Amino acid sequence: MGLFTRRNQDTTAAVATLEVDPALAALTGDYVIDAGHSSIGFTVRHAMVTNVRGSFTKHEGTLHLDGSDPSRSTAAIDVTIASVSTGIADRDAHLRSGDFFDAEAFPLMTFRSTGAAQLGGDTYRITGELTIKDVTRPLSIDLEFAGSATDVYGNERVGFEGSAEILRSDWGLTWNAALEAGGVMVSDKVKLTFDISAIKQA
């Protein structure tokens, strides 16, 4: 279900116009991310041969969706750095330390959108600014609209799945260790993943 459907309403001039999908227009409103049913994760290459996957288990955020004009949609997300989890306590502690995120000095990672656009069908791109360790740089996230539904408690929900790739060094996350066989312990490229469920506010 795309945000817009194209229809040729002027067959004489053969000019395509855009008609708003009423079902999506009805989704317009303010939403709160349901952290219990959402995930913000990452994947990074380790020792040149395998991937380490992790997530941030504590986060919160808001969305404003405009189903009639997606360019007017916005997003704001705050992620608690200390909630980083990769399944290994020592590695998580290292990630929270000054070598990486320095969670004590910089407790939050934040994203604030500056624009949004429909790429086609159910695919959208949201652009904005990602801040880590007081370094703010632009970030684009490609998202797929997964649909909407009313849950058993009467909450109107929407879902999005998306991803983005960053170079961690752009945000000052430069710790590494050289391998004897060549290469480094941790890749610079990091894939971020988003699986978002949000509840419409009255």
Side-chain angles (χ1 to χ4, degrees):
M1 181 170 60
L3 211 55
F4 295 110
T5 55
R6 293 185 178 272
R7 294 186 180 179
N8 189 341
Q9 294 181 325
D10 186 346
T11 55
T12 302
V15 176
T17 60
L18 293 175
E19 181 176 309
V20 175
D21 184 329
L24 288 176
L27 298 179
T28 297
D30 296 317
Y31 293 76
V32 171
I33 293 175
D34 179 4
H37 294 91
S38 302
S39 64
I40 297 177
F42 59 88
T43 303
V44 62
R45 199 75 171 162
H46 177 259
M48 309 295 291
V49 297
T50 190
N51 290 318
V52 168
R53 293 176 174 82
S55 64
F56 296 93
T57 60
K58 186 176 180 181
H59 51 83
E60 60 184 21
T62 58
L63 308 175
H64 174 76
L65 302 184
D66 191 323
S68 300
D69 182 359
S71 68
R72 298 170 63 89
S73 299
T74 61
I77 301 174
D78 295 335
V79 177
T80 300
I81 293 295
S83 71
V84 65
S85 176
T86 64
I88 298 178
D90 288 346
R91 182 165 59 203
D92 296 344
H94 192 198
L95 289 171
R96 288 190 289 266
S97 76
D99 283 346
F100 285 95
F101 288 110
D102 196 358
E104 185 173 348
F106 306 100
L108 290 179
M109 173 172 62
T110 65
F111 176 79
R112 298 293 184 268
S113 68
T114 56
Q118 184 181 22
L119 301 183
D122 291 333
T123 304
Y124 301 86
R125 177 169 293 158
I126 186 165
T127 56
E129 295 182 335
L130 177 67
T131 300
I132 305 173
K133 297 180 71 171
D134 278 358
V135 177
T136 301
R137 295 183 61 87
L139 177 69
S140 294
I141 305 170
D142 288 347
L143 295 166
E144 182 177 353
F145 176 54
S148 64
T150 301
D151 66 22
V152 295
Y153 302 106
N155 298 312
E156 186 175 354
R157 292 179 176 269
V158 293
F160 294 91
E161 297 178 14
S163 63
E165 288 189 352
I166 66 171
L167 298 178
R168 60 188 178 90
S169 59
D170 287 344
W171 282 267
L173 302 173
T174 57
W175 182 92
N176 228 321
L179 301 174
E180 289 186 7
V184 293
M185 182 69 72
V186 185
S187 69
D188 192 20
K189 184 170 69 176
V190 180
K191 181 179 181 180
L192 303 175
T193 56
F194 306 86
D195 194 344
I196 301 297
S197 177
I199 299 173
K200 192 174 187 178
Q201 302 302 286

